[in-house]
Amino acid sequence: MIIRNYIQVLLFSLVASLILPIVGNAGATTGDRGVGEEPMDFALVQNDGCQETCIQWISAEGKIMPDTPRVFRRFLKRLGGRKLPVVFQSYGGDVKGALSLGRIIRKEGLETAVGRTRLRGCPMEAPRCKDKIVRNGWSTGEVRAGGAYCFSACPFAFAGGQVRAASPSAAIGLHQISTLHRTAERSATGKKTIKETRSTKIRPAIKKELSEYFKQMGVGEDVFFYMDLASPQGMYHVPAELTLKLGLVTKVFSYQDDPGYVICLSSGQRDSTCGAAKAKETEVVASINGNLPNSDEGKHAEFEDRRSNGPDSREVGEDPSCEMLNRAYMRTRNTSRYSTYHYVLDQNGEEVLVLELRFVDRALYSNSGNTSWRVSPRVVIDTVENGVPVFRHCLRLLDKVVNGVDAYHFSAAWTRGARRAHAEVWVAKDTLRTMVVELTDGAAKQTLPSRKVFERFDFNREVVIPTLDASSAAP
């Protein structure tokens, strides 16, 4: 399967490279071209063969027009409050329309992605043909991240997503904004003509609006520099690692990943428990609970809190959608001995270790940036802090294999004190303990030390107690 998807990415990347010369004729505000001139429209799409679960998304393709935000607001009324990712493929269009569209997406708490939608029954030359779009229901098709594109004003709308995802092979392009000026002139014979000129000098009001918009969406103002690298007739294709640095993209799809949410058809919601899947997960949890030690048994169990061995304890105020994730959270955080490693992304998109924690019975040892180790007393970790759930709005994604281990994959809103972020969590199926947590801080006022923080867990119970210096506190 991975090999097949990888080959598809290569093929679609080749197709994208063949169409890029066409993109060079694009205008930032109008996208002047024969291809992609149709106004942007929106379609609810789900994959073929849905039974208990479906992959669902909002397909957004075409030219962004001044009235596109109004069209999108009307479209959202059909969703009944459901939140699906908006998957863009567009050559661009009207700047103000794109900014308004992005603001609506952010206000509604939606995610965005760059992806190509192909509807069932459409020819290859028109993969999203109009006659296969079901206007008052669900269209059927598939979505691919590889080889998709988002050019000109499209990245502005895309930036509205709480999470903004793209494949390394997707094409995201920027260029200068141009303004069309029309003046009336009369010839020597008295005939009135309209003369059109296009200026690349950005108006102060537009630049101010863009600057405020980028700040609100968590996008770096360096984006202006890269916009200036290409004329309105050209295109600067932003490298994948630079899209992360700028904050245009906050999540990179792997080669086997594609956009879309897994939806439980029984409830109509993106859910962690659907029919047979729910029964299977209950069976897994029961099996785990029957094979783990009690709080006063087992090696190195001095700290082991009873909540780390079973799902019976629930905090008042938990979000019911986060049931399975909360039980994994309890099981993980209150285990007697384990280690965690915290990473951030540097300017090249590489992971850098910034914090190591070692939990040893009732002591917590910490080392930040290869400094001396410090020790402090451990406290019991809860799923609700000061009446606020740590995890909210939990959604089950497609299962993954992480370091050779089958894992459940969740997304959620994460809160700890004043810190807030979008979280993606991978939980080992065999132990129901957390393997990886990925936090993305997309707020205008950053609450995390970096826009993206990764936490990886090691459950080797033979944790080495580090050597402390004289200044380290005693537990």
Side-chain angles (χ1 to χ4, degrees):
M1 177 65 72
I2 293 176
I3 293 176
R4 178 176 66 84
N5 287 337
Y6 180 70
I7 292 173
Q8 285 179 332
V9 168
L10 290 178
L11 290 174
F12 285 119
S13 297
L14 176 61
V15 172
S17 69
L18 292 175
I19 68 171
L20 292 184
I22 299 175
V23 177
N25 295 322
T29 54
T30 62
D32 297 326
R33 58 172 56 82
V35 180
E37 275 293 310
E38 303 84 0
M40 177 171 282
D41 64 357
F42 305 93
L44 287 173
V45 190
Q46 62 186 17
N47 66 310
D48 197 4
C50 293
Q51 295 181 4
E52 288 188 352
T53 61
C54 266
I55 300 174
Q56 297 179 346
W57 66 98
I58 298 170
S59 172
E61 299 196 12
K63 179 180 175 182
I64 300 173
M65 309 296 287
D67 70 336
T68 297
R70 178 182 58 81
V71 174
F72 187 59
R73 285 194 190 94
R74 188 168 63 242
F75 173 85
L76 287 177
K77 294 179 180 179
R78 295 167 45 190
L79 297 184
R82 284 182 296 173
K83 298 183 183 297
L84 295 174
V86 183
V87 181
F88 283 102
Q89 176 154 272
S90 171
Y91 285 116
D94 184 75
V95 170
K96 284 188 171 292
L99 298 181
S100 296
L101 180 58
R103 291 188 184 101
I104 296 171
I105 290 171
R106 179 59 61 91
K107 182 179 179 181
E108 295 293 329
L110 305 180
E111 298 182 9
T112 56
V114 180
R116 301 168 296 102
T117 295
R118 179 184 177 88
L119 299 181
R120 185 177 63 181
C122 290
M124 182 173 292
E125 63 273 16
R128 192 178 176 275
C129 52
K130 299 291 185 182
D131 60 328
K132 298 299 181 181
I133 295 178
V134 179
R135 294 300 175 187
N136 295 307
W138 289 94
S139 305
T140 301
E142 60 181 14
V143 62
R144 294 288 181 263
Y149 56 84
C150 183
F151 295 138
S152 189
C154 175
F156 302 160
F158 170 74
Q162 295 276 17
V163 175
R164 306 179 285 279
S167 163
S169 65
I172 296 179
L174 299 169
H175 59 185
Q176 293 174 332
I177 292 177
S178 63
T179 304
L180 185 64
H181 299 280
R182 293 184 174 91
T183 56
E185 295 183 350
R186 290 190 181 275
S187 65
T189 60
K191 184 178 180 181
K192 185 178 179 180
T193 60
I194 301 297
K195 182 180 179 181
E196 294 185 350
T197 58
R198 190 175 291 276
S199 170
T200 59
K201 184 177 180 180
I202 187 169
R203 292 180 302 194
I206 293 293
K207 186 165 185 179
K208 181 181 179 182
E209 183 178 5
L210 280 170
S211 181
E212 292 174 349
Y213 178 82
F214 291 148
K215 184 177 181 180
Q216 177 187 1
M217 301 305 169
V219 176
E221 285 207 18
D222 286 348
V223 71
F224 285 114
F225 171 80
Y226 296 100
M227 288 168 61
D228 285 339
L229 292 181
S231 71
Q233 289 71 41
M235 190 70 65
Y236 175 73
H237 298 278
V238 189
E241 64 273 13
L242 184 56
T243 62
L244 285 169
K245 180 180 177 181
L246 293 173
L248 280 172
V249 170
T250 61
K251 174 183 176 181
V252 178
F253 287 124
S254 66
Y255 283 114
Q256 61 264 40
D257 285 340
D258 287 306
Y261 287 168
V262 179
I263 304 296
C264 176
L265 295 185
S266 61
S267 66
Q269 299 292 324
R270 192 179 176 203
D271 208 318
S272 62
T273 51
C274 292
K278 178 176 181 178
K280 178 62 178 177
E281 289 168 9
T282 302
E283 178 184 335
V284 170
V285 172
S287 174
I288 293 171
N289 293 337
N291 288 285
L292 290 176
N294 296 324
S295 59
D296 56 354
E297 294 179 340
K299 187 177 182 181
H300 304 314
E302 179 187 353
F303 182 84
E304 204 92 52
D305 187 273
R306 67 190 300 269
R307 289 171 295 183
S308 70
N309 295 319
D312 54 327
S313 177
R314 290 165 177 78
E315 301 297 319
V316 175
E318 284 186 2
D319 185 331
S321 72
C322 300
E323 168 65 20
M324 191 172 182
L325 186 54
N326 281 328
R327 304 288 69 76
Y329 184 77
M330 285 292 202
R331 184 183 302 280
T332 301
R333 299 294 182 175
N334 298 316
T335 297
S336 64
R337 292 198 171 193
Y338 69 101
S339 303
T340 65
Y341 303 87
H342 299 247
Y343 300 84
V344 298
L345 295 180
D346 65 14
Q347 60 183 4
N348 297 317
E350 300 293 332
E351 293 185 9
V352 177
L353 179 65
V354 294
L355 177 65
E356 180 180 351
L357 301 177
R358 297 182 186 178
F359 298 85
V360 184
D361 303 331
R362 297 188 178 276
L364 167 60
Y365 299 87
S366 60
N367 187 304
S368 176
N370 293 319
T371 59
S372 59
W373 284 91
R374 299 187 63 81
V375 63
S376 58
R378 277 183 70 179
V379 296
V380 174
I381 300 296
D382 295 323
T383 56
V384 179
E385 293 187 354
N386 299 320
V388 179
V390 174
F391 293 108
R392 294 175 295 116
H393 310 308
C394 294
L395 302 169
R396 170 85 175 274
L397 306 178
L398 293 175
D399 295 347
K400 302 288 182 182
V401 176
V402 179
N403 296 329
V405 177
D406 290 333
Y408 299 114
H409 184 192
F410 300 93
S411 75
W414 176 89
T415 303
R416 291 287 299 275
R419 294 171 295 168
R420 290 171 172 76
H422 169 84
E424 291 203 33
V425 185
W426 289 263
V427 176
K429 291 184 177 182
D430 57 348
T431 63
L432 206 64
R433 281 188 166 88
T434 306
M435 299 177 66
V436 180
V437 175
E438 177 183 314
L439 299 177
T440 301
D441 187 343
K445 185 175 181 181
Q446 190 171 319
T447 62
L448 297 181
S450 175
R451 287 294 182 189
K452 191 174 288 292
V453 177
F454 302 88
E455 184 179 15
R456 291 185 168 82
F457 294 76
D458 181 355
F459 291 99
N460 181 1
R461 298 177 76 91
E462 301 295 338
V463 179
V464 176
I465 298 176
T467 302
L468 304 176
D469 61 23
S471 64
S472 299

